[in-house]
Amino acid sequence: MKIQNIKTLGELKETGYKGKSIKDELRDNLRTKISKKEDTFTGIHGYENTVIPELERAILSRHNINLLGLRGQAKTRLARQMINLLDEWIPIVDGSEINDDPFNPISRYATNLIEDKGDDTPISWLHRSERFSEKLATPDVTVADIIGDVDPIKAANLKLSYADDRVIHFGMIPRANRSIFVINELPDLQARIQVALFNILQEGDIQIRGFKLRLPLDIQFVFTANPEDYTNRGSIVTPLKDRIGSQILTHYPETIAIAKTITQQEAKLDTRQSDLVYVPELAKDLLEQISFEARDSEFIDHKSGISARMSITAYENLLSTAEHRALISGDDTTTLRLSDFTGIIPAVTGKVELVYEGEQEGASSVAHSLIANAIKTLFPDYFPAIEKLEKEDYKSPYETLLSWFFEQSGFELLDDVSDQEYTSKLDAISPLTDLIKEYQADLNDEDSYFMKEFLLWGLVEYKKLSKYRLSEGFRFNDLYGSYISGL
């Protein structure tokens, strides 16, 4: 017999079912998952040895939880995944506004119904997917929104005075009884609302327009907050903060490999796009390095953070740039080019908060500098490092390539040329091909052209070549020859 087929309190008693609090549910199911070596939080990368163990310990301790971290650190996703630790179904008194437990009713409606009907009290079943509520804290949130208010229409229909608790219309928190309730950006809540929350956590009662109604709600609270909010927009009042059992610090991906995994998982791509555009691994690394550079940039406000969404949207823009180019040139397939990275500028400028110096530079200029810095950072991982000061008798491995540019009037790579023209242009620089064969011998052919372009851009960043933006592409020149030619 399916448990959902049980329709009355008497039938429920016969099964031997025993109710438990939501915190015990979470704790018991987590214990089972850990014992079976099952993943408790899936699709969340980089937290395996930091955040997730702390969150598991908080659940085992039956704590209300505050996830503290900058934007784009999967705080809300962690909270949403906690529903997987709930029992699949729980019984509630049928018709109850606040999910009353048939064995432990707390509303007047459920109490009266059980007294009146006894074992014939009708029950219904609530799936765990319906046991999650979320509220974004904003300064205009009221007590009525989250706790409740007197409903004059209900009072009139029931012919009751405003002094009767049956005229209360419950807000979001009472309706989330026996559920997980998430309040995002907690410091943005007004202090008086936070005090009302504290009263629910501490005393188990709600106070509405003079009512003091004993209502021991069974809720797993999860709060999220940004460290920036503590000083810029508000703070968590001390009594409420003291009542939150565990405060867990989240963080950004610590390695490019983890960041790449997150981006590949979250990017929303059209399958035709994925089939059309081949993306070299170096391009993926470079994209993630841009976010790492942004988090260290003197032009960007570190307190606001650089969301993982920046890399995700930049990756989507990157493939769209290559797709757009291939459609124009008529290529059936294409390989991503380094020049395509100019297409991610809108994704970067929309995700960063600039400090005063950054505003002076301009958002677009800062974004271009992040790409340049990322290239410069990764360059020594693939080719010999270029020192600022070189010994007199030192022969640079790049000497032949630099000589090639010195002897040429210039080299242009236009944005929308076909793949065939693009590859032939790069192949025409024989010293470039020789360097790739010497230092990246294991590279496959598909990746080699992106690596060639990466080498040219790297030499520009190390002041060995010059690069100019044309209306339709880039022009590379010898660093000193450009002055002589008057370019």
Side-chain angles (χ1 to χ4, degrees):
M1 180 182 179
K2 281 188 176 180
I3 196 168
Q4 304 96 283
N5 293 334
I6 297 170
K7 299 298 182 184
T8 66
L9 178 57
E11 291 174 4
L12 186 63
K13 286 178 179 176
E14 287 175 8
T15 65
Y17 179 90
K18 291 185 180 179
K20 57 177 113 169
S21 72
I22 185 171
K23 287 183 168 64
D24 283 329
E25 264 185 73
L26 291 165
R27 173 182 161 79
D28 292 349
N29 292 327
L30 176 61
R31 280 173 53 88
T32 302
K33 276 185 174 286
I34 292 174
S35 299
K36 291 181 177 179
K37 305 287 191 266
E38 295 177 5
D39 289 337
T40 49
F41 295 89
T42 58
I44 297 174
H45 306 281
Y47 285 175
E48 295 83 358
N49 300 313
T50 52
V51 176
I52 289 175
E54 291 185 2
L55 186 54
E56 289 173 343
R57 289 192 285 268
I59 292 169
L60 291 173
S61 300
R62 302 185 186 88
H63 284 172
N64 292 310
I65 298 161
N66 183 28
L67 296 170
L68 182 63
L70 296 171
R71 57 182 175 170
Q73 292 185 350
K75 300 187 294 295
T76 305
R77 172 168 288 197
L78 283 167
R80 286 176 181 160
Q81 286 211 14
M82 284 176 64
I83 65 171
N84 297 324
L85 296 174
L86 296 172
D87 291 345
E88 187 174 9
W89 297 94
I90 59 165
I92 62 171
V93 175
D94 194 37
S96 168
E97 289 183 90
I98 59 172
N99 304 328
D100 276 288
D101 183 346
F103 295 111
N104 185 29
I106 59 174
S107 71
R108 183 188 285 213
Y109 164 82
T111 304
N112 290 346
L113 188 63
I114 291 171
E115 284 179 2
D116 182 39
K117 296 198 172 184
D119 285 352
D120 293 327
T121 301
I123 65 168
S124 55
W125 294 86
L126 192 67
H127 192 259
R128 61 184 167 210
S129 61
E130 301 177 82
R131 298 174 64 195
F132 180 89
S133 295
E134 186 176 3
K135 178 65 179 172
L136 175 63
T138 53
D140 62 338
V141 172
T142 65
V143 171
D145 293 332
I146 63 170
I147 297 176
D149 203 353
V150 170
D151 185 345
I153 296 174
K154 188 183 285 189
N157 288 340
L158 296 175
K159 297 181 179 178
L160 296 171
S161 75
Y162 286 1
D164 194 301
D165 63 2
R166 285 173 289 178
V167 305
I168 292 176
H169 174 79
F170 291 114
M172 291 186 71
I173 290 179
R175 288 174 183 275
N177 185 38
R178 304 175 72 200
S179 302
I180 297 168
F181 192 84
V182 178
I183 298 182
N184 287 311
E185 310 303 339
L186 178 61
D188 282 351
L189 273 187
Q190 295 180 48
R192 64 189 180 86
I193 312 295
Q194 292 189 39
V195 170
L197 276 176
F198 162 73
N199 214 58
I200 292 172
L201 290 173
Q202 182 68 47
E203 307 296 339
D205 63 50
I206 62 172
Q207 297 183 21
I208 301 170
R209 294 187 182 275
F211 281 109
K212 186 172 182 180
L213 181 62
R214 182 71 182 163
L215 204 65
L217 296 168
D218 180 23
I219 296 177
Q220 171 65 55
F221 280 102
V222 180
F223 306 105
T224 74
N226 190 320
E228 174 195 20
D229 297 340
Y230 281 90
T231 53
N232 286 11
R233 295 204 296 265
S235 62
I236 302 176
V237 297
T238 305
L240 177 59
K241 189 174 181 181
D242 185 56
R243 186 63 180 166
I244 299 170
S246 291
Q247 178 167 282
I248 298 169
L249 301 179
T250 57
H251 56 82
Y252 286 123
E254 294 173 343
T255 66
I256 284 180
I258 292 171
K260 272 200 301 186
T261 303
I262 295 169
T263 299
Q264 298 304 306
Q265 173 183 283
E266 299 299 320
K268 294 178 175 62
L269 304 175
D270 188 313
T271 51
R272 291 169 296 179
Q273 206 170 43
S274 304
D275 294 340
L276 174 66
V277 183
Y278 172 75
V279 185
E281 280 304 308
L282 174 56
K284 296 176 183 177
D285 290 348
L286 184 59
L287 182 80
E288 302 304 337
Q289 186 62 38
I290 291 168
S291 292
F292 281 75
E293 297 294 335
R295 289 172 191 137
D296 291 331
S297 173
E298 60 183 345
F299 298 124
I300 293 173
D301 184 2
H302 300 157
K303 291 179 182 177
S304 68
I306 302 297
S307 168
R309 285 181 283 271
M310 188 177 92
S311 292
I312 296 163
T313 54
Y315 186 71
E316 292 165 351
N317 262 15
L318 190 59
L319 265 72
S320 296
T321 305
E323 178 187 32
H324 184 265
R325 169 175 53 72
L327 291 171
I328 290 172
S329 63
D331 288 324
D332 294 329
T333 59
T334 188
T335 298
L336 195 76
R337 304 174 189 173
L338 210 158
S339 51
D340 293 331
F341 272 75
T342 55
I344 74 171
I345 300 300
V348 175
T349 55
K351 293 286 190 296
V352 296
E353 296 288 337
L354 302 179
V355 295
Y356 176 76
E357 291 80 3
E359 296 285 358
Q360 297 301 303
E361 290 286 325
S364 180
S365 177
V366 170
H368 278 98
S369 71
L370 294 177
I371 297 172
N373 292 341
I375 292 169
K376 192 171 183 179
T377 300
L378 292 183
F379 187 84
D381 293 342
Y382 297 90
F383 298 102
I386 299 174
E387 304 296 338
K388 284 185 178 179
L389 298 174
E390 295 173 349
K391 294 179 182 177
E392 236 178 90
D393 56 346
Y394 174 72
K395 185 175 180 181
S396 168
Y398 308 107
E399 191 172 313
T400 306
L401 177 60
L402 298 177
S403 297
W404 187 94
F405 276 92
F406 183 76
E407 293 164 6
Q408 303 296 319
S409 58
F411 172 77
E412 292 181 0
L413 272 180
L414 301 183
D415 293 335
D416 296 330
V417 296
S418 67
D419 269 27
Q420 184 177 357
E421 190 176 348
Y422 169 77
T423 55
S424 63
K425 289 274 285 184
L426 287 171
D427 283 341
I429 311 175
S430 53
L432 192 59
T433 304
D434 294 338
L435 280 167
I436 298 297
K437 286 180 179 177
E438 183 175 354
Y439 296 106
Q440 295 297 322
D442 298 331
L443 204 64
N444 62 47
D445 290 340
E446 275 190 299
D447 288 13
S448 63
Y449 291 98
F450 187 89
M451 188 66 76
K452 287 180 180 182
E453 202 178 349
F454 175 75
L455 175 52
L456 293 179
W457 284 58
L459 291 173
V460 169
E461 297 313 319
Y462 279 96
K463 304 293 188 292
K464 296 297 183 181
L465 292 176
S466 59
K467 173 171 63 69
Y468 301 91
R469 177 65 188 173
L470 307 173
S471 59
E472 297 179 344
F474 289 96
R475 179 184 180 87
F476 295 85
N477 279 91
D478 165 69
L479 187 63
Y480 303 108
S482 62
Y483 295 113
I484 297 169
S485 63
L487 290 173

